[in-house]
Amino acid sequence: MWFNQSQDEVLKELDVDLSRGLSEAEVEKRKEKYGENKLQEAKKKTLIQLFFSQLNDALIYVLLGAAVVTLIVGEYADSVIILAVVFLNATIGVVQEAKAEKAIEALNKLTTPRSLVRRDGETKEINSTQIVPGDVVILDAGRYVPADIRLTTSSNLQIEESALTGESVPSSKFYDKEFTEENIPVGDRTNMAFMSTLVTYGRGEGVVVGTGMETIVGSIAKSLNEETDDMTPLQKRMDELGKTLGKLALGITILMFIIGFLQGRDLLDMLLTSISLAVAAIPEGLPAIVAIVLALGVTRMSKINAIVKKLPAVETLGSVNIICSDKTGTLTQNKMTVLKYYIYDELVDVDIREESHEAKDEASEELIKSFVLCSDATANKTESTGDPTEIALIVLGNKHGMTKEELNRLYPRVDEKPFDSDRKLMSTLNEENGGYRVHTKGAIDNILKISSSILVNGEVKPLTEEMRKTILDRSIEMSNEALRVLGVAYKDTKVKIDEDEMEKDLTVIGFVAMIDPPRLEVKDSIASAHMAGITSIMITGDHKNTAVAIAKELGIADDITQAMTGAEIDELTDEEFAEKINNYRVFARVSPDHKVKIVKAFKKQGNIVSMTGDGVNDAPSLKHADIGVAMGITGTDVSKGAADMILTDDNFTTIVAAIEEGRNIYNNIKKAVIFLLSCNLGEIVAIFVSVLFSFAIPLLPTQILWVNLVTDTLPAISLGVDPGDPDVMKKEPRDPKESFFARGAGSRAIIGGLLIGSLTLLAFAIGLAERGSSLFESADAPEDVLIYARTMAFVVLATSQLFYSLTMRNETKSIFQVGFFKNKYLILSIIAGTLLQFGLISIPFLADAFKVIALPLNDWLIVFGLSLLPLIANEIIKVFMRAYRKKNNLPL
Ligand code: ATP
């Protein structure tokens, strides 16, 4: 067992040198032998299984029943058509489902955790799946442990192992703990770290002893593969809506059947008509349409660097009206450079020459030395890893001939207190002069609070209040220039002290001021978000003045009265804070629990809030926010786990782009659904009216099924992927409580349905009239007259729906304003649908099967003319809507 072997035995057995790690060649060999480091996934459904699961539906049973009935009575053509419809329907269902699943899978791949490993003597970050036994892995707070690891160093390392043990209190880990017994429970093996557990504090290193299924979680992997219910709220609402409308449709169908029966119509005909109408009219496809549009939408979003982890987020994104964003890295470039440093009482400009040169004096050397020793980042001319703030410090050291390797060799680190954004400090304990020295760096105000003396001209002097004020004033000057200030202090001790003793009674050396330029593109995004009714808020751990200086540059705030610090938040009760919060744009010197307060206060004011985060402690605020956004590059695994969306480029602009995409996706779903409902209503109207007034039925069951198939699927999905409206960001965010049928959407569906239905009847009447009959005599009309009139009705029903889809692309803009050919898929669907319709009535054997007949040219003109009417009617309604909006100064 790995935990009761000595470190040397482990290293020997795995054949690895701790300081260099494995070589890439060796890694390749081991990859062949052990495979990828991942848990086996739950078996996916095969295509056949997917196909059969599509058939497992009450409506399909009804259709299959209808097929059997037609078979028995010898209407073979009808049974073939019904079976073909069932088959096609299921195939389309499978394709949709497979596509949606693939999109989600691809997204999951993008979010696989990454790990720090040492290979060929260098530290690099790789995908955790690429880890092999023997790899040397570096663990730090916020990362998931990528494999089972025997620790070789640890410093205050704490790991939360609830995934394995159910215990949510993190357990401390010690690389040097030795065990002799065999039977130690997993939770007590404190010299090991296990796959899928989470580092919450401290640092450590270790050797991978097991990967993939050969880990402890691997052996209990089954329980991790649980499927969760992943319907989004919108899908659920659609499901409910579908059910309600379905019941309504069913009621009408039954009523129709009873009326038909009382009228003495042919029972079998009535039965089949009722069944077909029920199948056509029940909008069972609604949740499926929502699912596919969402899946295609999130795939598009991943291409603009926003990975949506939870589908409901897409809907919520459209309603966001507050974006709370971290400053560093998201609003700024996170490319820090030290421009100046301060030593009592002088500001020194850093020489930006490339080549290295000696530090100006001893005091400068002390300052740089402490900063470098107290940093975990690495940087050389070509590469750097770690926190950009620290990289800037290492670069500062390199510039002055003080490399991290050299300093670490002279003054080995023996202990450390890691950085956390509550304390805003970090400390290390290094050997020096036969004793130890604490180096602490962090926010200058906090450094001053824990210091009692100061280094002046190489001498340690008591730190007076006046000195404190001088230093703070100088640092504020820097902050006002948008520079980020970081202070440093130290203290010597004879004996090794522990964590709690480190950050007390220190001697201040000075501070550095670094520049972190704003991202250029962010300014435009903030302006466009503003136009879209979205307020941008800056949240930062940095100093208020630095924050406000940058906020002004970006157009987030106008002056310092719009800024508040974490300390000021603490003075207010939650109620008071919520009342005031709308007046503020910048929150500075905040810690992660302030973020939760900020989210809650904004939500209390009725806002829909998105909040960014990257640290271990940001998880609660990400969870509280309506949209939690994690950083893909700098974010910890925990923050990514808690987020609804991940930005792969850490860029604010991406949030705004994602909101725009979210609004478009929601609108597209709405278009597709309203379109589907109009079509279904059209079919019901045509048939129901005929039955009610004792007309002949204008559409045969197979014809209804066909129209349903051709029009319901392709144009609806094409509407679902409609190119975004360029003006979508000129409108206010959608009220999340707003009904799907608000703003005229419901009446549009009803008007469309009534028009389509009555025009179908009109075409039927025209066909009858052309052959010397009429609607009221149609019940007794000869078969050939009915075939002719039905063909007219059939074509009008299909093509009017196809054309109508074009006008559904925008609620108020005309089809030309949105760009007639802009949605290629829709145009193709319409052309394909029309050609199919033409083929169906013109190709003799198909025409026979569907009981239709080829139409002469002048009839085609009539049916096309009629089919265009619903589209034209809707376009005319839009003219009035535009006029109304213009009059009331509303965006189109
Ligand atoms: P953001 O704007 O994203 O919140 P931030 O860097 O300003 O970024 P934190 O990371 O919480 O916010 O840092 C808060 C403060 O802590 C910084 O302003 C700085 O003074 C100090 N600090 C940041 N990084 C370190 C570090 N590695 N070591 C010591 N102190 C640090």
Side-chain angles (χ1 to χ4, degrees):
M1 298 292 249
W2 298 106
F3 64 92
N4 55 19
Q5 290 180 20
S6 76
Q7 219 187 77
D8 290 340
E9 282 168 349
V10 172
L11 292 176
K12 202 156 156 226
E13 192 165 336
L14 291 164
D15 191 20
V16 57
D17 166 10
L18 257 192
S19 60
R20 292 196 56 78
L22 297 174
S23 67
E24 285 295 346
E26 183 61 29
V27 167
E28 282 311 313
K29 268 194 226 150
R30 294 192 187 191
K31 231 182 256 168
E32 294 247 301
K33 182 162 173 206
Y34 297 101
E36 286 213 323
N37 174 33
K38 58 180 186 196
L39 301 178
Q40 252 162 35
E41 281 149 21
K43 275 229 172 65
K44 270 192 290 184
K45 277 188 189 164
T46 61
L47 279 185
I48 305 266
Q49 280 169 325
L50 269 182
F51 186 85
F52 279 103
S53 69
Q54 295 286 334
L55 296 183
N56 190 8
D57 183 291
L59 277 173
I60 299 288
Y61 294 155
V62 174
L63 270 185
L64 290 176
V68 173
V69 174
T70 47
L71 214 73
I72 294 171
V73 298
E75 294 279 354
Y76 300 121
D78 282 5
S79 17
V80 170
I81 293 172
I82 294 175
L83 287 177
V85 165
V86 170
F87 181 80
L88 260 174
N89 224 344
T91 313
I92 291 170
V94 170
V95 172
Q96 287 185 355
E97 203 166 299
K99 197 154 189 180
E101 203 166 281
K102 233 169 134 187
I104 303 293
E105 224 171 69
L107 292 181
N108 282 343
K109 277 211 184 104
L110 286 177
T111 56
T112 41
R114 294 171 65 80
S115 311
L116 275 183
V117 293
R118 187 175 304 125
R119 285 181 183 171
D120 283 326
E122 278 175 38
T123 306
K124 35 186 114 172
E125 192 168 37
I126 59 166
N127 263 349
S128 298
T129 50
Q130 302 304 310
I131 281 180
V132 295
D135 256 327
V136 178
V137 172
I138 296 144
L139 300 172
D140 54 7
R143 258 183 224 280
Y144 281 108
V145 178
D148 281 3
I149 289 170
R150 167 66 198 259
L151 296 168
T152 52
T153 55
S154 60
S155 165
N156 304 310
L157 184 63
Q158 291 185 14
I159 298 187
E160 198 244 297
E161 298 185 321
S162 59
L164 284 185
T165 59
E167 172 60 60
S168 61
V169 179
S171 58
S172 294
K173 296 286 180 177
F174 309 94
Y175 74 99
D176 48 2
K177 180 94 183 165
E178 284 172 13
F179 296 100
T180 45
E181 311 94 286
E182 281 278 319
N183 265 341
I184 308 237
V186 172
D188 294 339
R189 299 179 194 169
T190 49
N191 58 8
M192 299 273 300
F194 300 104
M195 185 171 184
S196 297
T197 59
L198 180 69
V199 182
T200 53
Y201 194 71
R203 292 166 56 78
E205 257 181 49
V207 187
V208 173
V209 295
T211 57
M213 294 307 282
E214 299 306 313
T215 55
I216 303 275
V217 264
S219 59
I220 49 170
K222 278 166 260 118
S223 58
L224 294 169
N225 280 335
E226 281 161 23
E227 296 262 320
T228 45
D229 170 23
D230 46 8
M231 261 209 193
T232 77
L234 186 60
Q235 272 173 300
K236 276 187 205 141
R237 257 197 300 170
M238 284 302 113
D239 199 34
E240 279 158 25
L241 176 73
K243 279 189 187 130
T244 317
L245 292 179
K247 278 181 201 147
L248 211 69
L250 205 65
I252 294 180
T253 318
I254 293 173
L255 186 66
M256 203 180 71
F257 181 76
I258 296 172
I259 297 176
F261 175 74
L262 293 179
Q263 287 171 345
R265 292 185 191 235
D266 183 89
L267 265 193
L268 182 71
D269 279 355
M270 270 325 284
L271 185 70
L272 286 180
T273 307
S274 306
I275 290 176
S276 315
L277 190 64
V279 172
I282 294 173
E284 80 286 356
L286 291 188
I289 285 280
V290 177
I292 181 96
V293 174
L294 282 178
L296 293 175
V298 296
T299 312
R300 265 207 313 278
M301 289 172 87
S302 72
K303 298 206 175 106
I304 57 162
N305 299 322
I307 297 177
V308 174
K309 278 182 49 208
K310 298 172 188 158
L311 282 185
V314 180
E315 300 156 34
T316 321
L317 267 175
S319 308
V320 166
N321 71 331
I322 298 267
I323 310 177
C324 296
S325 169
D326 279 340
K327 171 177 72 72
T328 310
T330 314
L331 296 169
T332 65
Q333 298 177 7
N334 212 3
K335 286 197 191 113
M336 314 241 191
T337 317
V338 178
L339 291 188
K340 299 174 190 187
Y341 61 85
Y342 170 91
I343 293 165
Y344 196 79
D345 182 32
E346 186 190 3
L347 255 181
V348 183
D349 286 320
V350 172
D351 196 337
I352 45 172
R353 275 179 300 167
E354 273 294 311
E355 66 273 28
S356 92
H357 49 93
E358 296 241 307
K360 189 170 151 290
D361 49 30
E362 226 169 275
S364 307
E365 206 174 299
E366 275 314 315
L367 174 116
I368 297 167
K369 180 181 127 194
S370 277
F371 269 130
V372 173
L373 282 171
C374 188
S375 293
D376 290 321
T378 61
N380 55 34
K381 282 219 160 60
T382 51
E383 253 185 338
S384 55
T385 63
D387 175 6
T389 307
E390 294 194 350
I391 293 174
L393 297 172
I394 305 283
V395 169
L396 180 72
N398 291 347
K399 242 180 217 167
H400 293 90
M402 290 188 253
T403 65
K404 189 180 165 200
E405 293 75 37
E406 179 70 6
L407 287 179
N408 271 344
R409 200 177 50 76
L410 292 172
Y411 313 102
R413 188 190 285 189
V414 290
D415 200 2
E416 67 195 55
K417 184 162 181 172
F419 172 74
D420 81 50
S421 35
D422 280 314
R423 285 170 21 251
K424 303 188 174 41
L425 295 171
M426 156 170 181
S427 301
T428 61
L429 188 68
N430 298 62
E431 286 175 9
E432 186 157 348
N433 295 335
Y436 300 91
R437 178 172 281 198
V438 178
H439 302 276
T440 302
K441 70 177 189 328
I444 183 69
D445 18 357
N446 295 14
I447 290 277
L448 288 173
K449 270 186 211 142
I450 53 169
S451 297
S452 53
S453 52
I454 179 167
L455 201 63
V456 184
N457 295 329
E459 273 175 59
V460 178
K461 302 228 165 115
L463 180 65
T464 62
E465 273 316 307
E466 210 188 318
M467 285 167 153
R468 274 206 172 93
K469 187 166 177 316
T470 313
I471 298 174
L472 269 184
D473 285 349
R474 300 308 292 269
S475 78
I476 287 172
E477 278 169 32
M478 299 291 96
S479 300
N480 286 339
E481 292 174 31
L483 296 179
R484 182 178 164 91
V485 174
L486 199 70
V488 72
Y490 77 98
K491 83 171 163 193
D492 288 319
T493 70
K494 287 268 157 301
V495 292
K496 201 173 157 196
I497 52 174
D498 66 16
E499 238 189 85
D500 302 334
E501 294 299 311
M502 287 185 195
E503 290 165 2
K504 278 180 190 162
D505 277 333
L506 300 179
T507 306
V508 191
I509 315 178
F511 63 73
V512 287
M514 39 185 130
I515 185 171
D516 179 15
R519 285 176 181 262
L520 296 175
E521 65 279 22
V522 163
K523 200 169 172 178
D524 289 339
S525 301
I526 287 174
S528 89
H530 184 74
M531 213 156 54
I534 303 166
T535 311
S536 307
I537 303 286
M538 175 190 281
I539 297 193
T540 178
D542 213 341
H543 195 279
K544 184 161 156 181
N545 295 48
T546 314
V548 171
I550 293 178
K552 275 195 209 163
E553 244 172 84
L554 291 174
I556 292 180
D558 301 322
D559 62 75
I560 198 147
T561 57
Q562 290 174 309
M564 196 184 225
T565 62
E568 286 162 3
I569 297 177
D570 288 336
E571 283 167 19
L572 302 173
T573 63
D574 285 353
E575 282 70 33
E576 286 168 341
F577 182 44
E579 259 168 47
K580 284 187 158 186
I581 193 159
N582 281 339
N583 304 326
Y584 292 91
R585 297 287 176 268
V586 176
F587 297 92
R589 278 288 186 251
V590 294
S591 44
D593 47 325
H594 291 124
K595 282 188 162 183
V596 178
K597 277 194 173 171
I598 293 170
V599 167
K600 281 190 177 160
F602 272 126
K603 282 178 87 169
K604 204 164 185 180
Q605 296 292 326
N607 298 299
I608 306 292
V609 187
S610 105
M611 168 66 91
T612 64
D614 48 13
V616 189
N617 308 340
D618 284 335
S621 59
L622 295 184
K623 283 231 163 92
H624 270 99
D626 296 290
I627 297 281
V629 181
M631 301 297 143
I633 304 171
T634 55
T636 51
D637 291 343
V638 202
S639 60
K640 290 181 192 165
D644 303 290
M645 183 167 94
I646 300 176
L647 308 178
T648 54
D649 59 356
D650 288 14
N651 191 343
F652 178 87
T653 299
T654 305
I655 308 178
V656 180
I659 291 180
E660 179 171 354
E661 195 63 56
R663 288 186 177 189
N664 279 326
I665 292 174
Y666 185 86
N667 288 346
N668 283 350
I669 290 177
K670 195 163 160 176
K671 293 175 207 170
V673 170
I674 298 293
F675 168 70
L676 278 180
L677 294 182
S678 327
C679 296
N680 287 351
L681 185 64
E683 287 152 24
I684 297 186
V685 166
I687 306 267
F688 191 67
V689 170
S690 314
V691 172
L692 205 62
F693 292 101
S694 301
F695 304 157
I697 295 183
L699 297 157
L700 294 179
T702 47
Q703 294 167 353
I704 300 173
L705 291 177
W706 163 266
V707 172
N708 197 40
L709 188 74
V710 176
T711 52
D712 270 17
T713 46
L714 288 179
I717 293 177
S718 307
L719 277 174
V721 293
D722 203 25
D725 177 3
D727 291 336
V728 74
M729 293 299 267
K730 290 191 185 145
K731 296 182 184 146
E732 290 292 305
R734 172 176 54 86
D735 177 355
K737 289 194 281 292
E738 179 185 291
S739 143
F740 206 73
F741 296 105
R743 301 183 195 227
S747 25
R748 252 198 326 275
I750 292 176
I751 294 174
L754 288 177
L755 274 173
I756 291 172
S758 18
L759 288 167
T760 304
L761 270 180
L762 183 60
F764 188 54
I766 293 176
L768 288 168
E770 275 185 22
R771 298 288 159 117
S773 179
S774 75
L775 272 182
F776 293 96
E777 296 159 14
S778 58
D780 304 315
E783 189 61 20
D784 62 326
V785 174
L786 280 179
I787 286 184
Y788 185 77
R790 277 192 188 123
T791 309
M792 298 274 284
F794 179 41
V795 178
V796 167
L797 180 72
T799 45
S800 63
Q801 294 187 0
L802 289 171
F803 295 160
Y804 194 61
S805 67
L806 260 183
T807 183
M808 298 301 284
R809 286 188 51 209
N810 197 292
E811 287 178 14
T812 47
K813 287 185 192 164
S814 79
I815 48 176
F816 302 107
Q817 280 170 327
V818 290
F820 193 84
F821 292 108
K822 217 156 169 207
N823 186 341
K824 293 189 295 288
Y825 299 110
L826 188 60
I827 297 289
L828 282 178
S829 312
I830 295 172
I831 293 176
T834 314
L835 285 180
L836 279 170
Q837 199 62 31
F838 179 74
L840 193 77
I841 61 169
S842 308
I843 299 171
F845 84 95
L846 284 176
D848 282 350
F850 279 89
K851 301 201 177 69
V852 283
I853 187 168
L855 292 179
L857 182 68
N858 66 326
D859 279 344
W860 271 109
L861 291 180
I862 294 175
V863 292
F864 269 146
L866 290 178
S867 302
L868 281 171
L869 288 180
L871 178 147
I872 294 170
N874 199 44
E875 288 296 311
I876 293 174
I877 295 176
K878 284 188 196 174
V879 173
F880 286 108
M881 283 176 74
R882 284 200 295 274
Y884 172 80
R885 288 187 168 242
K886 213 166 184 180
K887 205 169 130 210
N888 293 293
N889 257 337
L890 295 167
L892 288 185

